[in-house]
Amino acid sequence: MVFTVDSFSAAMDVDFRPLTARDAGDAAALSTAVGWGMRRTDWERFVSLPAVRTVGGWRDGELVATATAVCYDAAVAWIGSIVVAAPYRRRGLGTRVFERAFDDVRDRVDVVGLDANDTGKPIYADAGFDDVLTATVYTGTPSADLDASGVEPLTDAARIAGYDATRVSVDREFLLASLLDDPDTRGVVTTDDTGYAIATPTRTGWAVGPLLADDRQTTHRLLAAVRDALDGDSFTINALGSAPAAAFAAAGLTDTRTLTRMTYPTPEPALTGRGVYANAGFALG
């Protein structure tokens, strides 16, 4: 199926253009209004990173819709942050802003991916996206029995960039550096560099991801180190597939909902691979 920006009926007059730094506050207000955890800092990251392409939709001067796409070289683009103001839902606007983001990146990369909820999945399937795996959201605090030995603080993205690239098959150092540059972020890494995790603050709490590790035992040590770094605060983490989900459940975390990871034009394990236990967030892949 071929998408064009006019393939859906315009239910209302909306002006689309890329987001800029001056729009970060409005984007944060929009995502907050619909209950998302994104902060102004997150939107400032999106508009400042050259690898991130953005779309905003304005009606009568008000920002009413957003979408983002993170491009990892020419290999993968990850679409996310599809937010629509409550009064404009179920009027085709979410489809239109997704369509804009999709049209912007699909000829730039080999694979386009996203994580779909039940509402969006039929729209993405109609656009040619195929199911790849189930992503499960876990929440809670890891068991006090887990041992954090052999794990230390992580502050330098260069230390883990090579390890990360061998697992996800793209270079994400720019993203990892941006996450770790946030003074509120907590990163942990094993002393032998066989795994790492990053915890970032959200408007509603903490989110952990990416988390990459050589095995389940290392994953549990990383989760214990995150637990200690956050002083026992609860967090969310997104398991990519059944094995990571089982590891998080065994650590004492609770599953709360699922999404479907989808890719275009064919089913591809984009940004997943051996040892990729948790994604960087649904907006980042």
Side-chain angles (χ1 to χ4, degrees):
M1 178 177 181
V2 176
F3 262 106
T4 68
V5 296
D6 296 320
S7 62
F8 287 93
S9 174
M12 65 197 81
D13 291 330
V14 177
D15 296 323
F16 293 100
R17 63 168 173 80
L19 298 167
T20 66
R22 67 176 179 271
D23 301 316
D26 289 340
L30 174 59
S31 58
T32 296
V34 301
W36 287 32
M38 299 167 70
R39 305 166 299 155
R40 180 175 182 137
T41 300
D42 300 312
W43 287 104
E44 289 172 343
R45 176 181 299 115
F46 284 140
V47 299
S48 66
L49 289 174
V52 180
R53 306 185 68 82
T54 62
V55 181
W58 280 262
R59 179 170 169 80
D60 297 330
E62 177 188 5
L63 181 64
V64 295
T66 64
T68 60
V70 186
C71 296
Y72 298 101
D73 300 321
V76 178
W78 206 264
I79 294 176
S81 309
I82 299 176
V83 185
V84 176
Y88 300 99
R89 292 179 180 175
R90 302 187 183 280
R91 299 171 65 181
L93 183 53
T95 300
R96 292 171 66 196
V97 74
F98 154 71
E99 182 183 349
R100 293 273 177 157
F102 182 38
D103 281 346
D104 188 30
V105 298
R106 62 177 178 163
D107 292 331
R108 299 174 183 269
V109 296
D110 298 328
V111 177
V112 182
L114 50 78
D115 293 295
N117 60 22
D118 290 342
T119 300
K121 186 176 176 180
I123 296 169
Y124 309 137
D126 285 345
F129 284 72
D130 290 301
D131 295 4
V132 177
L133 57 78
T134 297
T136 307
V137 180
Y138 279 80
T139 64
T141 302
S143 169
D145 295 334
L146 297 184
D147 177 19
S149 61
V151 181
E152 61 190 14
L154 169 67
T155 58
D156 183 8
R159 176 174 176 178
I160 57 170
Y163 177 85
D164 184 83
T166 62
R167 283 5 185 223
V168 299
S169 301
V170 298
D171 182 0
R172 299 196 296 186
E173 185 171 358
F174 74 91
L175 173 64
L176 302 175
S178 178
L179 294 173
L180 290 170
D181 283 346
D182 185 333
D184 295 322
T185 291
R186 303 288 184 268
V188 295
V189 61
T190 60
T191 54
D192 59 0
D193 295 332
T194 58
Y196 79 91
I198 297 176
T200 55
T202 74
R203 187 183 57 82
T204 56
W206 289 93
V208 175
L211 189 156
L212 278 65
D214 278 3
D215 51 44
R216 179 188 283 204
Q217 181 180 12
T218 303
T219 296
H220 283 179
R221 289 193 289 127
L222 290 167
L223 290 173
V226 169
R227 175 201 64 207
D228 296 346
L230 302 184
D231 296 324
D233 286 351
S234 176
F235 58 79
T236 64
I237 187 168
N238 307 321
L240 297 181
S242 58
F248 295 162
L253 302 177
T254 302
D255 62 298
T256 59
R257 63 189 179 105
T258 60
L259 289 86
T260 302
R261 177 154 285 211
M262 307 177 75
T263 60
Y264 169 95
T266 58
E268 300 287 346
L271 305 185
T272 62
R274 183 177 65 86
V276 182
Y277 280 78
N279 65 7
F282 290 127
L284 303 172

